C-alpha cells in the first residue's frame, strides 16, 4: 500500500512537471495545470 | 522496486526541470517535504535528490534563466534575511560542543534559502495553486500513509514520520500535519475536477485519522483549533461541520484506550510528569535566553547536558512558580517559542514572532483588498484564510513541540506575503483603470 501511494504521488508530481513543461511559455508562465487545474469561481 | 520507480520518475522529470525553472523549483520543494529517500531500501537510499534540485534551481537563477529583475521585493524577504543573519551569529557564538548546533542551523538555513528564492517563481494564481499541490503531495503524503496504516491496524499503528528528519517523532509529525489540513481544504474547494476534489477530501480524512490515532496531545489540540476556526470562519460551513463530525466519529472509533487516558491528562497537567518535564525544559530554555539575550545559547543548547546542568538551578521566567530542581537528564525545549528563545535569544524570539505576526497581518490586508476587488478575487481571500489557519495551527500546536525550524511554516509565511503582493498589484491595476 505504501509503495503504491508513493508511486501515485511520484506520478502526480511528474504530471505537474509535464503540464508546466507543456505550457510552452518562457520561464514560469504556466497557464493550465490540466487535471490539477483550479476553477475560477466557487 | 520503489527505488527503481523513483529513479525513472526523476530521469523523466529532470529534462522538464531543465526546460522550466519553475518545475525545478517545485521538485526542490517536493523532495524537501517528502524526503523520498526515507521510504527507500535500495540504491536510492543515499541519493541526494533534494540537493540536486536545489543546485539545479539556484544554478538556473544564477545563470539568468530567471531574470533577477522579476524578484518581487517584499518585507518578508528582509525579515528572513535578518533571521538568517541572526541565526548564523547565534550558531557561531554558541556554547561549545553543542551536539545539534550545526544540524539545526543547516536545516533552518536550507529552509530560508528555499523561501528567499520563492519571490522569483510564485507570482500568478497558477503558481500559488501549483505550489499548494506540491505542498500536499510532498507533506500531506506522510499523513495519508500514516492515516491508512491507522485504519488498517484499527488504531494500533505507531505513527512515525520519515526517519532522520525533524518530523520523525509522532508529536512533531502530528503538529506539522495540521498545517496541511487548511491547504487541502483550499485545494478541495477550488480544484476543477470532481474526482480530484474527492481525492483531497479523502486525504484530509486520512490525515485527521493519522493525527487523532497518533496519540499526540499537541496534534489533538492543534487539530481541534483548526476545526473550530474552520467552523467559525469558512464560507463553507456545511463542509466544515461535516469534516468536524467525521473527525469526531473517526476519533471515537480509532483512538486507542491508552490514548484517551493520555488525553485526559491535559486536564490535570500539574500531576502529569510528561507535562512537568516540559515546564522544566521551558524554564531552563528561558534561563539560557536571559543569560544570553542577544545571541541565545546556540541551536538546541538546552539538549546539551553541560548547558542543562549549568542552568538547572536558575529560575528563568518561571521564578514565581515553585518548580523542583530537575533530576532527569537534558531534554528538548518542547515549545517553538522556548526553543527559539533559548537557541537564538530574546532578539531571535522577537524576529520569529514578527515573522508569524506578519503572516497574520498579510491575511487581514488581503481580506481588506479583496473586499474592494470583488468576487473575482474571492479565491485569494479563501487562500489567505487557509494559510493563516495553517499559521495558527503551527502557533497553537507548536506551543508544546520543538518545531521552530520547520521548513513548511517558512514556506507558508512567504507564500502569504506573495499572495498579498499579487492582490496588491491587482488593486493597483483596478485603481488605474477606474482613473482612466
Amino acid at each position: 500500500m505504501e509503495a503504491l501511494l508513493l508511486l501515485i504521488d511520484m506520478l502526480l508530481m511528474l504530471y505537474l512537471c509535464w503540464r508546466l513543461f507543456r505550457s510552452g511559455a518562457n520561464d514560469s508562465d504556466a497557464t493550465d495545470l490540466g487535471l490539477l487545474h483550479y476553477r475560477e469561481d466557487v | 522496486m520503489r527505488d527503481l520507480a523513483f529513479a525513472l520518475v526523476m530521469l523523466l522529470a529532470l529534462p522538464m526541470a531543465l526546460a522550466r525553472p519553475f518545475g525545478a523549483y517545485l521538485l526542490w520543494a517536493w523532495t524537501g517535504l517528502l524526503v523520498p529517500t526515507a521510504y527507500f531500501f535500495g540504491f536510492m537510499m543515499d541519493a541526494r535528490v533534494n540537493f540536486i534540485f536545489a543546485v539545479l534551481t539556484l544554478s538556473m537563477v544564477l545563470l539568468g534563466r530567471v531574470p533577477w529583475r522579476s524578484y518581487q521585493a517584499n518585507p518578508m524577504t528582509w525579515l528572513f534575511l535578518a533571521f538568517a543573519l541572526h541565526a548564523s551569529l547565534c550558531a557561531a557564538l554558541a556554547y561549545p560542543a553543542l551536539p545539534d548546533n550545526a544540524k539545526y542551523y543547516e536545516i533552518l538555513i536550507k529552509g530560508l534559502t528555499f523561501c528567499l528564492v520563492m519571490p522569483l517563481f510564485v507570482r500568478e494564481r497558477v503558481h500559488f495553486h501549483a505550489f499548494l499541490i506540491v505542498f500536499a503531495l510532498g507533506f500531506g503524503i506522510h499523513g495519508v500513509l500514516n492515516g491508512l496504516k491507522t485504519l488498517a491496524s484499527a488504531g494500533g499503528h505507531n505513527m512515525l514520520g520519515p526517519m532522520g528528519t525533524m518530523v520523525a517523532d509522532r508529536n512533531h509529525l502530528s503538529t506539522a500535519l495540521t498545517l496541511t489540513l487548511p491547504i487541502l481544504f483550499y485545494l478541495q474547494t477550488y480544484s476543477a475536477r470532481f474526482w480530484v476534489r474527492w481525492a483531497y477530501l479523502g486525504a484530509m480524512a486520512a490525515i485527521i485519522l493519522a493525527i487523532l490515532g497518533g496519540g499526540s496531545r499537541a496534534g489533538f489540540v492543534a487539530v481541534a483549533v483548526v476545526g473550530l476556526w474552520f467552523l467559525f470562519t469558512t464560507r463553507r460551513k456545511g463542509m466544515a461541520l461535516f469534516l468536524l463530525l467525521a473527525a469526531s466519529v473517526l476519533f471515537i472509533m480509532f483512538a486507542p484506550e491508552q490514548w484517551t487516558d493520555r488525553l485526559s491528562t491535559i486536564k490535570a497537567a500539574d500531576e502529569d510528569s510528561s507535562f512537568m518535564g516540559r515546564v522544566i525544559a521551558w524554564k531552563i530554555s528561558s534561563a539560557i535566553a536571559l543569560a544570553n539575550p542577544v545571541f541565545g545559547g546556540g541551536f538546541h543548547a538546552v539538549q546539551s547536558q553541560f548547558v542543562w546542568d549549568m542552568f538547572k538551578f536558575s529560575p528563568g521566567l518561571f521564578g514565581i512558580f515553585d518548580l523542583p530542581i530537575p533530576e532527569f537528564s537534558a531534554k528538548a525545549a518542547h515549545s517553538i517559542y522556548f526553543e527559539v528563545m533559548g537557541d537564538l535569544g530574546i532578539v531571535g524570539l522577537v524576529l520569529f514572532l514578527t515573522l508569524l505576526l506578519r503572516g497574520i497581518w498579510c491575511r487581514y490586508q488581503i481580506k481588506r483588498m479583496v473586499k474592494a476587488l470583488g468576487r473575482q478575487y474571492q479565491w485569494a481571500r479563501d487562500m489567505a484564510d487557509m494559510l493563516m489557519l495553517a499559521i495558527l495551527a503551527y502557533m497553537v500546536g507548536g506551543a508544546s513541540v520543538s518545531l521552530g525550524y520547520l521548513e513548511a511554516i517558512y514556506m507558508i509565511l512567504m507564500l502569504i506575503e506573495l499572495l498579498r503582493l499579487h492582490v496588491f498589484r491587482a488593486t493597483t491595476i483596478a485603481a488605474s483603470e477606474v482613473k482612466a
Side-chain angles (χ1 to χ4, degrees):
Chain A
M1 184 179 70
E2 184 178 277
L4 180 68
L5 276 169
L6 282 171
L7 183 66
I8 293 169
D9 200 73
M10 288 175 209
L11 292 176
L12 283 170
M13 192 62 214
L14 188 64
Y15 176 77
L16 193 62
C17 290
W18 169 244
R19 292 304 308 190
L20 293 170
F21 175 72
R22 259 196 55 181
S23 68
N26 187 30
D27 185 17
S28 54
D29 298 331
T31 49
D32 185 6
L33 300 176
L35 294 173
L36 298 173
H37 205 57
Y38 50 82
R39 44 183 171 167
E40 292 301 327
D41 201 5
V42 174
Chain B
M1 190 65 190
R2 55 177 86 174
D3 295 65
L4 189 62
F6 184 74
L8 282 172
V9 167
M10 287 299 101
L11 281 176
L12 289 169
L14 201 59
M16 292 189 267
L18 280 165
R20 300 276 174 266
F22 183 49
Y25 185 68
L26 292 183
L27 282 161
W28 179 8
W30 180 67
T31 49
L33 292 166
L34 175 63
V35 197
T37 47
Y39 291 98
F40 299 152
F41 308 103
F43 68 96
M44 289 297 284
M45 261 177 82
D46 298 320
R48 300 188 68 190
V49 281
N50 182 244
F51 178 73
I52 291 169
F53 286 112
V55 170
L56 184 67
T57 311
L58 292 173
S59 304
M60 286 196 277
V61 169
L62 291 173
L63 292 171
R65 287 283 309 280
V66 186
W68 277 102
R69 65 175 181 280
S70 65
Y71 195 90
Q72 305 164 76
N74 66 84
M76 195 68 88
T77 293
W78 292 109
L79 283 172
F80 276 16
L81 283 171
F83 195 51
L85 179 69
H86 181 72
S88 302
L89 290 171
C90 295
L93 301 170
Y95 284 110
L98 295 184
D100 294 324
N101 190 39
K103 177 185 166 188
Y104 283 95
Y105 172 67
E106 190 183 319
I107 289 173
L108 178 67
I109 292 299
K110 278 181 181 171
L112 292 178
T113 305
F114 176 86
C115 297
L116 285 169
V117 181
M118 200 186 286
L120 281 169
F121 293 101
V122 179
R123 177 180 293 269
E124 303 302 331
R125 183 180 176 185
V126 69
H127 304 143
F128 287 102
H129 200 83
F131 193 87
L132 293 185
I133 291 171
V134 170
F135 195 92
L137 289 176
F139 211 54
I141 189 74
H142 302 304
V144 172
L145 287 171
N146 276 291
L148 292 178
K149 284 175 188 172
T150 303
L151 189 68
S153 63
H157 170 63
N158 188 18
M159 182 173 170
L160 282 173
M163 291 305 288
T165 67
M166 200 186 283
V167 290
D169 175 84
R170 70 171 176 179
N171 290 309
H172 290 189
L173 183 60
S174 290
T175 306
L177 282 175
T178 53
L179 272 67
T180 62
L181 290 173
I183 287 167
L184 284 166
F185 190 77
Y186 173 83
L187 290 170
Q188 197 277 332
T189 307
Y190 277 95
S191 287
R193 304 275 171 165
F194 176 76
W195 64 268
V196 176
R197 288 202 292 276
W198 272 99
Y200 286 130
L201 195 61
M204 265 194 284
I207 291 172
I208 291 170
L209 191 58
I211 296 168
L212 297 182
S216 161
R217 287 172 291 192
F220 178 82
V221 171
V223 91
V225 168
V226 167
L228 287 174
W229 190 271
F230 252 155
L231 200 57
F232 289 123
T233 60
T234 180
R235 292 189 297 129
R236 298 175 70 205
K237 290 209 172 9
M239 176 60 85
L241 192 62
F242 166 75
L243 283 172
L244 267 183
L245 286 174
S248 308
V249 171
L250 288 171
F251 175 63
I252 292 164
M253 282 171 68
F254 289 101
E257 200 177 324
Q258 72 265 29
W259 199 89
T260 42
D261 292 346
R262 193 172 148 79
L263 197 66
S264 64
T265 61
I266 291 175
K267 287 184 286 186
D270 56 334
E271 295 160 19
D272 177 16
S273 62
S274 165
F275 179 77
M276 285 313 289
R278 284 169 195 227
V279 176
I280 299 285
W282 297 346
K283 180 192 86 154
I284 295 179
S285 293
S286 66
I288 297 170
L290 291 178
N292 309 277
V294 180
F295 296 116
F299 285 83
H300 284 213
V302 69
Q303 281 179 265
S304 154
Q305 194 60 48
F306 158 71
V307 178
W308 178 274
D309 289 339
M310 195 162 40
F311 287 99
K312 71 179 180 184
F313 301 104
S314 308
L317 292 174
F318 291 76
I320 53 165
F321 302 107
D322 185 23
L323 293 175
I325 304 299
E327 288 170 10
F328 46 86
S329 56
K331 59 193 294 175
H334 281 101
S335 161
I336 51 171
Y337 308 107
F338 287 101
E339 180 187 14
V340 174
M341 186 196 283
D343 296 1
L344 311 180
I346 307 290
V347 174
L349 180 68
V350 169
L351 277 169
F352 180 68
L353 291 175
T354 310
L355 288 171
L356 295 172
L357 295 175
R358 167 98 199 157
I360 294 172
W361 180 83
C362 283
R363 182 260 185 176
Y364 285 100
Q365 289 297 307
I366 293 165
K367 192 177 167 184
R368 188 178 58 78
M369 289 187 283
V370 166
K371 250 184 200 170
L373 285 168
R375 277 196 64 80
Q376 196 191 349
Y377 274 82
Q378 187 60 51
W379 67 269
R381 191 200 150 164
D382 288 343
M383 190 186 282
D385 279 347
M386 291 303 109
L387 291 174
M388 189 193 76
L389 190 48
I391 298 168
L392 274 185
Y394 174 76
M395 290 175 80
V396 173
S400 59
V401 288
S402 309
L403 275 179
Y405 314 116
L406 183 72
E407 186 178 11
I409 189 64
Y410 298 103
M411 289 179 180
I412 287 168
L413 289 170
M414 185 55 93
L415 211 56
I416 200 166
E417 180 77 52
L418 295 176
L419 184 61
R420 184 191 66 79
L421 281 179
H422 176 82
V423 177
F424 178 73
R425 281 195 297 272
T427 316
T428 315
I429 292 167
S432 62
E433 279 171 1
V434 168
K435 272 184 193 169

